Amino acid sequence: MYPLCCSKKLKAPEHQVAGHSAKEGRLGPLADGEGRFFKPFQRDFRGKNEARFYEFFSSNKNAPNHIHGYFPAYQGTQVVEASNGSGKLPHIVLEDVVTGYLKPSIMDIKIGARTWYP
């Protein structure tokens, strides 16, 4: 289903992103220190839907190039050890847009009136 990863040590990102944190035993994102950001799938259908969105958007030739610049590059999905020690879980792999910055400021924009299905 999803390729297994990684021989490299993944760790909680130094900077909190999008309100999610993998510190203190919580399930959250991981980074490999080489520019890849691993976001765990949400346990219900939202994780698969988010992966499908990134897959569609990243390959959509009709979306203007300047719009693509506002999104981290999608690098697929991989199964990695969860940050909370609960086992191997699928993660969306994105470009780590804060790599190389000492004090990054990131804005997480939600589009629409709600971020969940009715």
Side-chain angles (χ1 to χ4, degrees):
M1 183 180 210
Y2 307 104
L4 287 171
C5 178
C6 277
S7 59
K8 298 188 183 307
K9 174 107 170 97
L10 299 178
K11 62 180 185 173
E14 184 177 334
H15 307 285
Q16 183 173 333
V17 178
H20 306 282
S21 176
K23 295 179 180 168
E24 300 172 4
R26 291 182 289 202
L27 181 61
L30 298 165
D32 67 2
E34 296 182 4
R36 296 192 317 162
F37 181 84
F38 295 75
K39 181 182 179 195
F41 273 38
Q42 292 172 313
R43 294 205 182 270
D44 56 18
F45 58 88
R46 293 176 292 167
K48 288 183 181 179
N49 285 350
E50 184 176 15
R52 280 194 288 256
F53 165 78
Y54 276 110
E55 183 72 35
F56 172 78
F57 182 76
S58 67
S59 63
N60 186 344
K61 304 294 184 214
N62 294 323
N65 286 336
H66 70 280
I67 298 299
H68 281 274
Y70 288 101
F71 290 81
Y74 174 70
Q75 299 177 13
T77 60
Q78 293 187 329
V79 173
V80 301
E81 186 65 38
S83 62
N84 65 357
S86 62
K88 294 187 182 297
L89 296 175
H91 287 63
I92 295 172
V93 185
L94 301 169
E95 169 191 14
D96 187 349
V97 297
V98 301
T99 296
Y101 290 95
L102 297 176
K103 294 182 179 182
S105 290
I106 300 292
M107 182 170 34
D108 182 23
I109 299 173
K110 304 292 186 213
I111 299 172
R114 40 167 78 158
T115 59
W116 67 92
Y117 292 92

